[in-house]
Amino acid sequence: MKLINLLAAAALMMGFAHTMAAQTPVYLDDSKSIEERVEDALSKMTLEEKIGIIHAQSKFSAPGVPRLGIPELWCTDGPMGVRPEVLWDEWEQASWTNDSCTAFPSLTCLAATWNTDMANLYGKSIGEEARFRNKAVLLGPGINIYRTPLCGRNFEYLGEDPYLSGKMATDYVKGVQDNGVAVCVKHFALNNNEINRHTSNPIVDDRTLYEIYLPAFKAAALDGGAWSFMGGYNLFRGEHASYNPILMNDILKGEWGWDGAVISDWGAVHDTETAVTGGLDMEFGSWTDGLSNGRSNAYDNYWLANPYLNGIKEGKFTEDELDDKVRRVLRLTFRTAMNRNRPWGSMVSDEHIAACRKIGGEGIVLLKNQNDLLPISPEKVKKIAVIGENAIKMMTVGGGSSSLKAAYEITPLEGIKKRFGKDFEIVYERGYVGDTLGEYNGVKTNQDLRDFRSVAELTDAAVKAAKDADIVLYFGGLNKADHNDAEDSDRLSMELPYGQDALIKALAKANKNLVVVNISGTGVAMPWADEVPAILQAWYLGNETGNAIADVLSGDVNPSGKLPYTYYADLMQCGAHKLGEYPGTPAKDKFGNDIFDMPYNEGIYVGYRFIDKNNLKPTFPFGHGLSYTTFKYGKASVDKAQGSKNDKFTVSVPVTNTGKRAGSEVVELYIHDSKASVDRPEKELKGFSKVFLQPGETKTVTFEITEPDLSFFDADKHAWVCEPGDFEALIGASSADIRSKAKFTVH
Ligand code: GLC
């Protein structure tokens, strides 16, 4: 090409670039701050466009502003993997052929790792999958506190303790959002049960709210920097959570100064005025005419659509609230769909599969291991009997909106055959027949689990196989069927379903070398715990289920998980049932609709806080988990015997691996306030650290204690208060196994 042509081309490009530069509006100029871009875009939008951007146009998308080149905003479930694409206005999957995903372990498993590095790895991995699917908002993590073992969605959450939940949520949030994908932290707040989930009205005092039910959300919002929140279906003090002025305006956007967008749960909006003034920014999933789940013109009838537009035109509402909503939606859009520096993401990559297996293996909790029955080794056994439906049942499908179309799923039996098949004889017996469905919103497992044998036949066959084996691996628990760890249905009791207790007892009689692997996302009654020498709490582990479990059973992975919730012996050990009112008593909301008032009479005494207060002995305590090695804790010490509340107290404790095998130990820090003007729990978790140690190795674990760790929420002052006096730092291997204490005084 002649020089003259090159010069001409260059001049033309320069001219074009200059023209573009002159005409690039601020909101499209990513050299400008997001706030400048938000204001510029807002100033260019018509009233109709402002209304359009704050509500859905399809099941999972909002329209953006096509005229201005502001793209649609696409959301997707869920917290453990990216949901398959659904039809425009349906829950039904759209049968795409390229949206199979990595199903990561349930969030209770993540919490059970007590390892914030795993939380970040988890967030990064799932964020990459959401990014690859070009989603701007991932509808997770779910972080509601585990108030009752009956809650159908405990498996989607991070356990009973606000501090552990907040720490794990923070790094999950950062991992996801590093991909330019927003999290949508849910379900804010007090969505602690699924029964009557649209009409439950928790009645909670401020101290309980601020000490138990808000901290994890506050951490996700301010430490994690979450870009969106999802309001819950339930009410709080008479107003629906998704647009509750106290939760959204006073606390989230007021006291916390949070700048993100509040998205309703799907179908959680029931009127316009409160939605306008109650701090809701985006409306999704509404049932417009109250008679059907969506209609072709549904979206214009949304509470924040024409009714709101007409309300503004009639002077019922100013545009002030609308502009705040639009700013937050624009900010969310600029952080995600209009962020041109986002990475590209990936789907079912080797890294994601490795992450799935690693998090699963780190989250499995060894609850009991008498006579070192585990790990399985060729010197000890030759024949393995695998028993139970949960050894063969795929669990990635089902359970509600977190259901997934996993690229594949390795069942426990498949994992065991792969790991042990060459050195051991392996036999399998069903043991019991539970849930033979395998379908959710059109996604099918294609397993045919039908079995028409009687309970007696199934039991006899299982007991016979157990008798003939050197070791028995029983896989049972729950399975995400209704009432067994599923959205929109709580458990009906703590008991295992399908007659499993009787079967487990029969197996324990048949063979003393019985290992029970309980697969569930919530605590269950274990009346046979004393008769069973080894018990593993395995969670819903996703694609790599069988491999992660075999890794631990074989000792390839030394278990290091600890319980993120208490294993109550029965419901009377749980404050929500002993003192609280579950599932509530009939009442009316301000429109006269039926609701269920549910006073949280147990107050702050949730989980181990209630156990301690009442000197109870649960089946297994919060924070409990064993290893294939042993650890010795040295004497805890504190760097200063006394200091002011503005000082930092550093507690140190040496931990030694006194066994023959490398392993990780979660060291837990609890704070005890020796004397307070209010009733306080015996101890509260305020730190944890997972330390990896070679045999014989010692490391010193340190914790920094500051004023917030010592404070309680004074409802009268509406402020956190650290009272002077004596405190104790309790160093524990679990909430019931305090190994060392260090006293200090705040003056
Ligand atoms: C569901 C769930 C929520 C989910 C949303 C979209 O009802 O409560 O967690 O993200 O609707 O599926």
Side-chain angles (χ1 to χ4, degrees), residues 77 83 91 153 186-187 197 230 233 265 401 487:
D77 286 311
R83 184 173 187 159
W91 295 108
R153 298 183 82 172
K186 67 190 187 181
H187 307 84
R197 67 172 175 163
M230 184 189 294
Y233 283 128
D265 199 340
S401 57
E487 179 177 337

Side-chain angles (χ1 to χ4, degrees), residues 631-633 653-657 665 667 693 697-699 701:
F631 299 98
K632 181 170 75 65
Y633 290 48
V653 58
V655 181
T656 306
N657 179 342
E665 171 71 351
V667 181
L693 295 167
E697 186 181 10
T698 296
K699 281 181 185 168
V701 177

